[in-house]
Structures are given as C-alpha cells and as structure tokens.
Amino acid sequence: MTGAAAVLPMAGLLFLPLLLLVGSGSSGVWPRPQLFRVPQGGGQCSLSPSRFRFGYAGSSAVGPGCVVLDQAFQRYRRLLFPELTENDLAWDSLCNELLVTVNMPGCDGFPDMHSKENYKLDISEEQMLLTADTVWGALRGLETFSQLVWRDDNGTYYVNETDIIDFPRFAHRGLLLDTSRHYLPVGAILETLDVMAYSKFNVFHWHIVDDPSFPYQSIAFPELSRKGAYNPATHVYTTSDVKMVIEHARLRGIRVISELDTPGHTLSWGPGAPGLLTPCYTGPNPSGSYGPVNPILNTTYQFMAKLFAEVSAMFPDFYLHLGGDEVDFTCWRSNPDIQAFMQKMGFGQDYAQLESFYIQRLLDIVSAYGKGYVVWQEVFDNRVKMKPDTIIHVWKENSGAYQKEMARVTKAGYRTLLSAPWYLNHISYGQDWLQAYQVEPLEFEGSPEQKNLVIGGEACMWGEYVDVTNLTPRLWPRAGAVAERLWSNATVRDLQDAYGRLADFRCKLLGRGIQAEPLFTGYCEHEYRGI
Ligand SMILES: *[C@@H]1O[C@H](CO)[C@@H](O)[C@H](O)[C@H]1NC(C)=O
Ligand SMILES: *[C@@H]1O[C@H](CO)[C@@H](O)[C@H](O)[C@H]1NC(C)=O
Ligand SMILES: *[C@@H]1O[C@H](CO)[C@@H](O)[C@H](O)[C@H]1NC(C)=O
Ligand SMILES: *[C@@H]1O[C@H](CO)[C@@H](O)[C@H](O)[C@H]1NC(C)=O
C-alpha cells in the first residue's frame, strides 16, 4: 500500500462524521473489477524486471504483429518496472510471463460503441493468464494487471494470487475536454488519453471549437482557424495533430467523438465565414454584432454540408456530437429578415421552432454521411424531430432536475448520456470527488427498459478557467470517481474502500509521472518528480 491519509475529517460540502481509513490494499485496483477473488492463503509470486515478458498464447486469435497489443506490451513493461532491481531474486520465477489470449481476430480497427471490453485474469504461482474477447478487452486487462504488481522494501516486484472477471457496467465512459476557451497543446491531450486508459475511460469527447476560438484547422475552410484561432500558427490543431490524437486514442481502446457545436457557441466562426452568422439589430439598424448561425440562408446549409463532409471523414467514429445547446434567441429576434422568415414558415414567436428547423437540416446532412449523432438535451427539449438512434446528452444541473430529464428522454425512447453531476471544472474546498462518486446514473423514475437506454456518461472539463497549467491536477484523480461509477458494479459504493483505492491510484499516477492532486493529507512512496 502506498502511503495515504490515516484519518480524515470530511470537509467541504458533505459534513458527514465519517472516518475514512487507508484502504486494505489487497484490492488496490481502480476502477474496482466486477469479480475480484484472492484465494484464501493465496501466495505471491515474484517478477524479474529483466526477464518478464508478455506473450501471446498459442490459441490466441491475434499474435505478434498486432500493433495495438505489441505497443501496449512495451508501454506496460515500462509502467510495471520503472526501476531495475539490484539483486534480481526473481530471474527464475514462473511469473515472468503473462500469457495473453484474445478470442476474436482484429487489431487494425477502431473501438466502437459495441466493442466488448470484458477480460479475465488468472494469476497463480504456476501461470499468469489474461483472456479477452477483443484486443480492447485485453488492454483493460493489462491495465488491471499493472495495478496488481507491487514492490517490497527491498525492491523486489510481486504479484499476489488473484482471479478477476471483469467487464464494464456502461458502454460509453467519456471525458470531455474543451479546447476553445483555452488552447490545450496536443501533448496535454495525449497525456489525458493515457490517464483515461489507466482509469478505463473509453470515449474522448473533443469539444474542439466554441465562441472564444476556432483551433480546428479545416481543409475545406482554412479561413476558419486562420481568423478564428487565438493564433493561427501556434494555437491550432492541424490534420496531422488530429490524426495523432485519434491514433493515440485507438491504441488505448478510446473512441474520439468530435463536437463542432452549432448553431450557438459559434462566434469564433464568424470572421472566417462571412455571412454564416446572424447579424443582430438595434432597432432598424445592424448593431455590428453577430448571433448564432443564420438558419434562413441556403448558403448556411451548403457550408455545413461541406464542413461536416470533412469532419465526418476526419473522425472515424460512427458518432459526431452536434452540440445544439444554449441557443440565445435575442439576436434572431432582433433581425427583420429572420422575423419575416418566421412569419413565412408560420413559426409565430416560437424561436425554438426556428432552432429545430436548423437542427433538423443539419441532422439530415450528417445522416447522409452515414453518421450517428449525439446532441445536448435542449435539442430534445425543443422537440426537434430526430432519428430514433439519436443520443441525448443530459447536462443541465439545476437542483436535481437531471433525474427528471433522464426520465423524460428515456420515456421518449431515446438513449442518453449523463454529464449533469459530473462538471469537474467546478471545484470546491474539500473532497469534492465524493459527490461525483455518489451519483447513481439509473436513479430516476422509469421502467427497466428506460434504464437500459442509459448508455453511460461523461465527465466534463470546461475550459473557462482551465489550461495546460491546471488541467491535469484538476482532472485527476477526480475524474477517476466518474470512471469507477461507470465501470464498476452499482453496489461498489463504500466510501472508505473507495478512498483507500483512489488515494492509492493517485500515488500510482504520480509514479507514472502524472501530476494528480492529493485527496487529503498523506504521502506517496514515490512523490511527483516535476522539475
Ligand atoms: C499482496 O499480499 C500481501 C500479503 O498478503 C499483502 O500485504 C499486500 O497488501 C497484497 N498486495 C496487493 C497489491 O494486493
Ligand atoms: C530484505 O532483505 C533483507 C536482507 O537480505 C532481509 O533480511 C529481509 O527479510 C528482506 N525484506 C523483505 C521484505 O523481503
Ligand atoms: C433555397 O433553397 C430552396 C430549396 O432548395 C429554394 O426553394 C429557395 O428558392 C432557395 N432560396 C434562395 C434564396 O436561393
Ligand atoms: C453486482 O453486484 C450484485 C451484488 O453483489 C450482484 O448481485 C450482481 O449480479 C452484480 N451485477 C453484475 C452485472 O455482475
């Protein structure tokens, strides 16, 4: 057990008289596996850093040359043995090989919503076996294995006899980064993907552009970032950057879902796309400022068709996130051309109908490219007509209202993702990971069929007050709370046990060079070695 707090008074929002003690250490895996068994009187087996290897079992459907696993083996060798052992007592140990069996062929593809991630680990003194249906499941098992290995005071590496059967509770376990409020260097995104893999997240939701800046360098419309990025030379994501992010994610079994949010949140698009945004009026005259995308012009849809053709090809995932949140109607209301269009269409004063008109056309465009879509909850709230396989992303936090929204969305038969209680950009004094941890995504009124429509959720890190200086400590280990809620059995809710394992996981992150913040007082055997 790496050092952690002994006794902790709860500060912050939850004034519970709880004493959280150091976790037992015997099950120090985060997120907690579904079935975890340490045989009674089970022993431990030593590992030799110089001789240890990962191997493919003869019966495995994939073998050497499978890039996803070959590279994972290299990564995990480095993570397992950051230091060599001076007197290697384990050179003839039977635990110097982890044999991997993958039942289904396939190494070159991308993970998707339906990818299986289940795996089994049998660790005994005679043999160590990892079995999975897919390479993605094997990746999850490798991570778990890496968390089982520990070191004694003399520096010898061990793994305890353990049987694990594991699989995720939810298929969609996402994390959102916002690269518009502040530009995040590609390296920061890649590191985030690494830690996502350590905590078994499997979707990177890239909120790539928004009002403040447009860093996505479009091939079809290069003016968008040339005029909309904070700096068109240094604060952009080129095609090769985007491809690097997608491949880094793929190698870790992580999907990348891009979000180019419209028709609101688009101010940064304006300079590079003349005529795209709605001119706002003061009285009879244009005020010189701009509102949401102009939904009444055919040119708008020509533009979107071309842009989303590019985006659909660039991001291989079946799903695009199309945004659709927080559309401010004041500018549309002020514009006489829009008023005339509203009249012609018979929308009256109901600007939600105008928004629907826009979104429906956008959805048609994206469907024509063979893509599925995720939208923020307002699109559902405004009764836009959507394909039945649309995913509704619930984010509005106001006083527990999200449970009602989950009930409404699933009652209408749509699949849903939960983010409302998981805005990790919000911080407070004390242990605020507890709030995120104690959420139960299925705690709303509805039938079992409705509950089945909850495909998962996402932790969000909005960027108003976050850039590369504070991204990592603000995310980790707090996002881990969401990761465990989405991966582990619903009954895994013991705060004392969770505290011990999360503090331990955080120490492991420090050992892996990740600047994760502390949960509370204590220390780690290997502290962060920045500078
Ligand atoms: C392994 O077993 C030893 C001895 O029973 C125990 O002290 C230790 O906490 C266990 N470690 C892990 C990582 O399970
Ligand atoms: C560490 O090594 C010393 C000297 O060889 C030995 O006496 C001691 O038992 C070892 N400790 C452990 C935890 O293996
Ligand atoms: C826009 O397109 C519609 C349908 O294709 C067409 O009827 C209409 O005349 C066009 N409007 C303009 C201003 O081009
Ligand atoms: C979750 O845990 C409960 C209680 O241990 C168990 O009955 C249930 O089968 C578990 N669920 C899954 C999907 O394994």
Side-chain angles (χ1 to χ4, degrees), residues 56-221:
Y56 293 95
S59 57
S60 176
V62 309
C66 171
V67 176
V68 170
L69 288 186
D70 286 352
Q71 291 201 10
F73 292 166
Q74 286 179 28
R75 283 198 307 277
Y76 278 105
R77 268 194 63 93
R78 284 195 299 271
L79 292 173
L80 280 170
F81 309 112
E83 296 163 52
L84 289 180
T85 304
E86 271 179 36
N87 302 310
D88 191 349
L89 304 171
W91 63 274
D92 62 347
S93 167
L94 290 172
C95 291
N96 278 334
E97 182 170 55
L98 178 68
L99 264 185
V100 178
T101 306
V102 177
N103 295 325
M104 284 151 59
C107 291
D108 305 325
F110 288 89
D112 64 36
M113 170 93 83
H114 307 289
S115 296
K116 297 175 101 177
E117 295 172 283
N118 57 305
Y119 68 91
K120 245 175 73 181
L121 268 174
D122 298 310
I123 309 294
S124 75
E125 286 176 77
E126 286 79 47
Q127 58 181 4
M128 303 203 297
L129 303 175
L130 166 60
T131 313
D133 281 337
T134 65
V135 288
W136 318 121
L139 290 175
R140 306 295 170 245
L142 287 172
E143 175 56 38
T144 299
F145 176 75
S146 77
Q147 294 189 19
L148 292 174
V149 173
W150 56 282
R151 251 185 135 181
D152 74 5
D153 294 341
N154 289 352
T156 304
Y157 292 92
Y158 290 97
V159 59
N160 292 359
E161 276 199 74
T162 310
D163 289 324
I164 289 177
I165 296 177
D166 202 10
F167 49 86
R169 181 179 173 206
F170 292 104
H172 186 122
R173 305 178 309 280
L175 191 148
L176 174 150
L177 291 184
D178 166 7
T179 55
S180 172
R181 270 70 181 221
H182 285 96
Y183 177 80
L184 295 172
V186 175
I189 297 175
L190 301 184
E191 185 189 89
T192 301
L193 291 166
D194 292 345
V195 193
M196 285 173 68
Y198 302 158
S199 44
K200 299 189 172 73
F201 276 110
N202 67 352
V203 179
F204 169 42
H205 173 169
W206 194 350
H207 187 87
I208 190 165
V209 300
D210 204 296
D211 284 325
S213 78
F214 196 104
Y216 172 71
Q217 199 175 74
S218 164
I219 300 162
F221 299 103

Side-chain angles (χ1 to χ4, degrees), residues 372-433:
Y373 35 77
V374 188
V375 292
W376 295 111
Q377 70 177 74
E378 286 95 320
V379 177
F380 168 80
D381 297 343
N382 291 337
R383 298 181 300 281
V384 175
K385 197 166 112 259
M386 292 171 290
K387 288 195 304 180
D389 64 351
T390 305
I391 297 169
I392 313 295
H393 198 162
V394 173
W395 70 275
K396 290 196 175 179
E397 289 174 285
N398 40 343
S399 61
Y402 74 82
Q403 285 96 341
K404 294 205 175 78
E405 181 76 0
M406 299 285 280
R408 279 192 295 268
V409 168
T410 53
K411 185 136 208 195
Y414 290 108
R415 287 173 302 163
T416 184
L417 285 172
L418 181 62
S419 278
W422 289 327
Y423 272 33
L424 300 181
N425 46 299
H426 294 182
I427 48 172
S428 62
Y429 191 71
Q431 301 220 29
D432 62 356
W433 67 274

